[in-house]
Amino acid sequence: MKRLLAAALAAAAFWSMGTASEAAPVVPEHIFEWVQSSARTGYFFNRQEIAYGVDEEGFVNFDELIVPTLEVYDAVQIQDVVQKRRWRGESLQGYNNLVGAATYLSFDMVKGTVTVHEEDDLDHTWSPLTRTYPKTEIVIAALPEKSFNRRFYEAILAYEKENRELILSHTTGVVREADKKRLTKEEVPEENPKERKKKEKKEVEQKPRHIVKLLGSAGNETK
């Protein structure tokens, strides 16, 4: 979690100063990628710290994605968090300065799961008020399609597909020779011209007769 905490402290330099009640978080765009906002929360992930996992032998594990994330709350969400802590009899020390939460996630891109390793409630200096270690594993496909969390996780995975070399640059590990091909974007192979003509002929033959007639007429028009 040291990586996430360091990122949060770096972001503190961009804070709008004032009294605790007046302060408003300014999330630096060059560090955090905004994904979405609900009525109460803004969702971000740290694009400077997103990285692949590294196995015990020091090789990069392209199936594991490590992602520090940030949620910034509005006043209603802050009050909701405070109320829940009060109901559970938990400490409220410093929670008058609560602004959001940081989480440390790992994605298993083979299993389609995300594990929440650590959660920090953050104050107006981006310092942790409390820290928990849920170790909760979530099956992404099991979440409702319109769930904010599901859309957040899917957006992170989409970013990974488009930015593999950049993410690798944040990763301390050695790339296996067999994994180097994974750094290139998947491309749809170009279809052989002969095979394409056979396919087109077959599609025409399978169409209803009146459609074939119309296609034939269109093909005889003078251009």
Side-chain angles (χ1 to χ4, degrees), residues 20 25 28 37 57 63 87 103 109 122 124 141 165 168 212-213 217:
S37 292
E57 298 178 346
D63 294 326
W87 293 336
T103 58
M109 293 185 284
L122 302 176
H124 65 292
E165 290 192 8
L168 181 62
V212 174
K213 184 178 179 180
S217 301

Side-chain angles (χ1 to χ4, degrees), residues 53-223:
V54 177
D55 64 23
E56 294 180 354
E57 298 178 346
F59 289 104
V60 176
N61 179 5
F62 284 96
D63 294 326
E64 181 184 22
L65 190 65
I66 309 299
V67 190
T69 70
L70 176 68
E71 295 181 8
V72 178
Y73 301 152
D74 75 348
V76 176
Q77 181 65 15
I78 290 172
Q79 186 62 27
D80 185 57
V81 172
V82 171
Q83 288 289 356
K84 287 179 179 177
R85 291 188 65 83
R86 181 177 291 115
W87 293 336
R88 293 193 296 260
E90 297 171 339
S91 172
L92 296 178
Q93 183 176 355
Y95 273 78
N96 57 312
N97 292 322
L98 176 69
V99 296
T103 58
Y104 194 64
L105 309 176
S106 69
F107 290 79
D108 186 322
M109 293 185 284
V110 174
K111 293 170 59 180
T113 61
V114 57
T115 300
V116 182
H117 292 277
E118 186 173 322
E119 290 182 334
D120 293 352
D121 284 341
L122 302 176
D123 69 9
H124 65 292
T125 65
W126 300 108
S127 300
L129 294 166
T130 57
R131 178 171 294 165
T132 57
Y133 303 90
K135 305 297 181 182
T136 306
E137 185 179 80
I138 301 166
V139 178
I140 298 174
L143 296 172
E145 289 187 7
K146 294 184 179 180
S147 160
F148 277 97
N149 282 343
R150 175 168 176 169
R151 289 189 289 187
F152 186 43
Y153 300 150
E154 289 177 340
I156 292 173
L157 293 176
Y159 179 89
E160 183 274 334
K161 289 182 179 180
E162 296 296 324
N163 297 275
R164 287 173 179 163
E165 290 192 8
L166 178 60
I167 295 171
L168 181 62
S169 71
H170 305 155
T171 306
T172 305
V174 179
V175 180
R176 288 186 173 87
E177 192 65 32
D179 286 334
K180 288 183 178 180
K181 61 184 180 180
R182 302 181 65 167
L183 294 175
T184 58
K185 295 180 182 179
E186 297 179 4
E187 295 182 359
V188 179
E190 187 175 349
E191 193 173 15
N192 184 292
K194 291 183 178 180
E195 292 298 323
R196 184 171 64 248
K197 287 182 179 180
K198 288 181 181 179
K199 183 178 178 181
E200 291 172 351
K201 182 179 179 182
K202 186 176 180 180
E203 289 176 349
V204 171
E205 290 174 347
Q206 291 177 342
K207 290 181 182 295
R209 296 180 64 88
H210 67 283
I211 295 182
V212 174
K213 184 178 179 180
L214 286 171
L215 290 172
S217 301
N220 294 327
E221 288 180 358
T222 303
K223 295 184 180 179

Side-chain angles (χ1 to χ4, degrees), residues 9-82:
L9 292 176
F14 295 83
W15 190 264
S16 290
M17 299 306 295
T19 64
S21 60
E22 294 174 347
V26 176
V27 180
E29 294 182 359
H30 71 287
I31 296 177
F32 291 96
E33 179 88 2
W34 174 84
V35 173
Q36 63 183 354
S37 292
S38 69
R40 297 184 177 185
T41 305
Y43 294 78
F44 305 80
F45 67 88
N46 190 322
R47 65 167 173 261
Q48 286 191 359
E49 298 294 336
I50 184 173
Y52 293 110
V54 177
D55 64 23
E56 294 180 354
E57 298 178 346
F59 289 104
V60 176
N61 179 5
F62 284 96
D63 294 326
E64 181 184 22
L65 190 65
I66 309 299
V67 190
T69 70
L70 176 68
E71 295 181 8
V72 178
Y73 301 152
D74 75 348
V76 176
Q77 181 65 15
I78 290 172
Q79 186 62 27
D80 185 57
V81 172
V82 171

